[in-house]
Amino acid sequence: MTASPLLSVRDLAVEFRTGGVVTRPLDGISFEVGRGEVVGLVGETGCGKTLTGLSVLGLLPKGATIASGEIVFDGAHLHDLPSAELRVIRGRRIAMVFQNPSTAMNPVFTIGTQIEQVVRTHLGLRGRDVRDHVRETLVAVGLPETERVLRSYPHQLSGGMLQRAMIAMALTCGPDLLIADEPTTALDVTIGAQVLQLLRRLQEDRGFSVVFVTHDLGVVRTVTDRVVVLYAGRVAEEAPTVDLLTSPRHPYTEGLIGAVPRPDRRGKALTMIPGTVPADPGRVAGCVFADRCPIAVDRCRVERPELRQLGPRGGRVACHLASGAVL
Amino acid sequence: MSGAQAPERMDTGSGSPRLILRVQNLTREFPSPRRGQPPIRAVADVSFDVREGEVMGIVGESGSGKTTLARCLLGLIPPTAGQIEFDGHDLIGASGQERRRLRRDLQVVFQDPVGSLDPRLSVRDIVAEPIRTHEPGRSVTDDDILPLLEEVGLARGHLRRRPHELSGGQCQRVAIARALALRPRVVVLDEPTSSLDVSVQAQILNLLTDLRERHGLTYLLVSHDLSVVRHVTDRVAVMYLGRIVEQATTEELFRSPRHPYTRALLAAAPSVDRGAGSALAQGDPPPAGALESGCAFHPRCWLRERLDRPEICASTSPLLIEADADHATACHFSDHVMDPLEEVTA
């Protein structure tokens, strides 16, 4: 990684207030994204991966606030920025692609109108230049029949085409960072493969950084350089993708990988992680995974494990019991 | 109607388990949303057999007809044409009473575990419902329900809960207990784990495997997830736009797929071990009913491109032909699909 990462999230905690009750769905998330790097945010439902992405964009849902920590993007502290300045960064320098393109787009405007609006707002182009710029982007994402797509409303396009249009809209201002939240989950396998291939090609050509939010370890293997595994609002482990998938250090990561059906274990029992995620992980004093962990000891239940560097290759793990050696 | 036939069943001789489900030339059409247009064939001329005790997989993407097929088998919608034989009895032509009797042996677990359970009922009543329906007059007690719950890993404490008080995985366990309540012989599993997290999916898949071994159940697993299908099934039929394009033993199908669509599907699925392959199939499938003739896959077929677009693919629908024992393919050029996958995707 270069000396100054493009994005640095440090000790981020997010709180929700509902009624008088305060919950903490993110509790001390830290990770960095280098320039040109593709980082996966991985975890299961409720682990906080989507919320982390939204925090970076300053798009937290109502009732949620950043309780502590900082988000630094290219030297700017995003959480301190006035909203007018944040708007300049969001959309132009940081863009997002959502899981479900048909709900992320506005149904009453054509694709052309929506992308043109982004271009006018952020690039200040006018007239013919706007149309030309949008057309170029659509061609770059491999959408055939550019004119028809521009005139179409979201419901008139297939899921795959709409996701390409969404990617075009995200990339049209040439962002430095793309946050992609499960961009292929709602698509069929053969269409998802096209979209992944497209994202990989565009990323290689243009060199932007990507935070790729996903639950799918196969997708992680395909597109990411490095992975951050989240569990119950905390970082469990972080490592280069292949290292993490082949020699996980955190018992949760190991369980997650063991749960995926794989050809060499056809018909054999899959690894099961007993129990469930704690209801309010913010109140757990020790390790949030201790109750489900096959190797937990007393210390795990009382003392919270900090993320610590393990081995020379730059992996970090939040587990008292992980050793430098490969498990 | 095109002439696709059921691939000849191997032998009925010794050692081969008996047929429990036989589907022949099953077709289901829906009226076109556009007036004056021909109906849309969601399932077109589908034939396959399921033997007692095996796990048969039906794989396909959106619009492949796999769910419509499952609904026809369950009698939720009538087929437009074709036959379904269950344990030697005609399921479609059966009288109401006989069909009810046959349906006891054929149960289902749906994709959405929360949505497929009545939110107003307790777990006890949900699991008791099929017994009350099929054995009216019989009083169902906790002693009937508890063993079922225990079999799926739930306990007495769950009896009074309602679906919204349970996790997705627990709801799916309730749905499985309900499916087992009448001690069926065949269970149709319609995407049973697609809305679950991978760690919960592992629990449910392990549970389904245990139950099958314990009760000698036969499963028909409908899924879009190749890793799940590969993990649990013995045989697989791959569907594309309403037709079976390939059918083989699971091992054989994943080792040497012979239909270009199957190959594209396998190449596209991102794997933890090797990342994603490539997008062999380009573009979108044509909209339902748009394709007039030829192989349904021909507009997206990479193999056809490679062979300089032979005319026959666009003009003639290929038959599902069983070239080897238990491996049937519907492709005019399946001989050319045989190169190792790595070479094709390179």
Side-chain angles (χ1 to χ4, degrees), chain A residues 80-93:
Chain A
D80 290 339
L81 281 188
S83 55
E85 284 178 47
L86 185 58
R87 272 201 299 274
V88 174
I89 291 181
R90 185 172 62 212
R92 169 149 193 185
R93 300 198 58 202

Side-chain angles (χ1 to χ4, degrees), chain B residues 100-210:
Chain B
R100 257 168 99 95
R101 192 178 57 73
L102 293 172
R103 275 282 278 113
R104 280 189 71 128
D105 283 333
L106 180 63
Q107 296 292 323
V108 62
V109 175
F110 289 106
Q111 170 174 3
D112 178 3
V114 185
S116 63
L117 304 179
D118 188 332
R120 294 165 304 175
L121 296 184
S122 66
V123 166
R124 180 203 344 235
D125 288 333
I126 289 168
V127 178
E129 197 172 30
I131 306 176
R132 292 195 177 116
T133 306
H134 282 269
E135 297 168 24
R138 176 176 156 198
S139 71
V140 185
T141 65
D142 286 358
D143 289 341
D144 296 309
I145 305 302
L146 262 179
L148 287 163
L149 289 189
E150 279 160 11
E151 272 201 74
V152 299
L154 298 173
R156 183 175 286 275
H158 293 104
L159 273 173
R160 290 166 194 283
R161 305 269 191 92
R162 286 169 211 277
H164 73 269
E165 298 173 286
L166 302 174
S167 68
Q170 287 172 328
C171 282
Q172 202 57 307
R173 288 172 190 268
V174 173
I176 293 168
R178 174 177 64 182
L180 295 180
L182 294 167
R183 297 287 167 216
R185 295 165 66 192
V186 177
V187 182
V188 174
L189 305 164
D190 186 2
E191 304 267 13
T193 60
S194 3
S195 61
L196 304 174
D197 272 322
V198 63
S199 66
V200 184
Q201 165 173 287
Q203 297 170 6
I204 298 294
L205 292 180
N206 287 352
L207 173 66
L208 288 169
T209 305
D210 287 350

Side-chain angles (χ1 to χ4, degrees), chain A residues 44-45 158 161 188-191 193-194 197 218-219 221-222 256 259 261-263 265-273, chain B residues 61-62 197-199 201-203 206 227 230-231 233 250-251 268-273 275-276 279 281-284 300:
Chain A
E44 299 185 282
T45 310
S158 69
M161 289 178 87
D188 270 323
V189 180
T190 55
I191 309 296
Q194 295 171 14
Q197 202 172 52
V219 171
R221 176 80 186 229
T222 308
L256 202 60
R262 283 153 89 165
R265 285 191 307 224
R266 191 165 107 76
K268 300 196 180 113
L270 301 165
T271 306
M272 295 202 275
I273 305 174
Chain B
E61 299 181 284
S62 319
D197 272 322
V198 63
S199 66
Q201 165 173 287
Q203 297 170 6
N206 287 352
S227 64
R230 185 175 197 170
H231 192 74
T233 63
T250 304
E251 216 164 299
S271 116
V272 182
D273 299 306
Q282 287 299 323
D284 285 313
R300 300 176 74 197

Side-chain angles (χ1 to χ4, degrees), chain A residues 10-204:
Chain A
R10 287 178 213 146
D11 214 22
L12 176 71
V14 168
E15 288 184 348
F16 267 100
R17 264 161 226 282
T18 39
V21 187
V22 179
T23 52
R24 216 172 229 247
L26 292 188
D27 191 12
I29 301 279
S30 299
F31 67 95
E32 290 181 345
V33 182
R35 288 164 208 275
E37 194 182 26
V38 182
V39 173
L41 279 187
V42 181
E44 299 185 282
T45 310
C47 71
K49 55 192 191 296
T50 294
L51 204 57
T52 303
L54 293 174
S55 304
V56 173
L57 287 163
L59 291 176
L60 284 177
K62 225 177 162 185
T65 50
I66 292 183
S68 65
E70 55 182 16
I71 302 168
V72 183
F73 173 76
D74 204 11
H77 288 249
L78 289 188
H79 53 292
D80 290 339
L81 281 188
S83 55
E85 284 178 47
L86 185 58
R87 272 201 299 274
V88 174
I89 291 181
R90 185 172 62 212
R92 169 149 193 185
R93 300 198 58 202
I94 307 178
M96 184 145 184
V97 174
F98 296 91
Q99 172 171 358
N100 194 335
S102 57
T103 54
M105 289 269 198
N106 190 328
V108 300
F109 293 108
T110 62
I111 304 292
T113 309
Q114 296 187 55
I115 304 183
E116 281 164 21
Q117 196 183 357
V118 175
V119 172
R120 278 200 203 91
T121 308
H122 288 294
L123 298 184
L125 297 179
R126 292 291 177 266
R128 259 197 88 85
D129 292 347
V130 177
R131 283 247 140 188
D132 290 346
H133 187 87
V134 171
R135 272 193 202 97
E136 270 170 39
T137 328
L138 286 190
V139 171
V141 300
L143 273 170
E145 306 174 72
T146 314
E147 295 307 316
R148 182 175 78 82
V149 172
L150 285 173
R151 283 196 309 273
S152 298
Y153 291 90
H155 74 272
Q156 293 171 315
L157 298 181
S158 69
M161 289 178 87
L162 202 54
Q163 195 57 293
R164 279 171 195 266
M166 188 86 212
I167 291 169
M169 186 151 103
L171 297 183
T172 193
C173 298
D176 302 308
L177 176 65
L178 178 71
I179 297 177
D181 188 355
E182 305 263 14
T184 58
T185 305
L187 305 175
D188 270 323
V189 180
T190 55
I191 309 296
Q194 295 171 14
V195 170
L196 284 185
Q197 202 172 52
L198 170 71
L199 277 171
R200 261 193 310 191
R201 180 170 62 73
L202 290 169
Q203 194 275 330
E204 278 163 20

Side-chain angles (χ1 to χ4, degrees), chain B residues 18 20-21 50-56 105-107 184-189 212 215-221:
Chain B
R18 62 193 275 176
I20 190 148
L21 191 63
V50 182
R51 292 159 211 159
E52 185 142 47
E54 77 174 346
V55 183
M56 171 86 183
D105 283 333
L106 180 63
Q107 296 292 323
R185 295 165 66 192
V186 177
V187 182
V188 174
L189 305 164
R212 183 174 82 91
H215 299 291
L217 291 166
T218 305
Y219 287 152
L220 185 72
L221 172 72

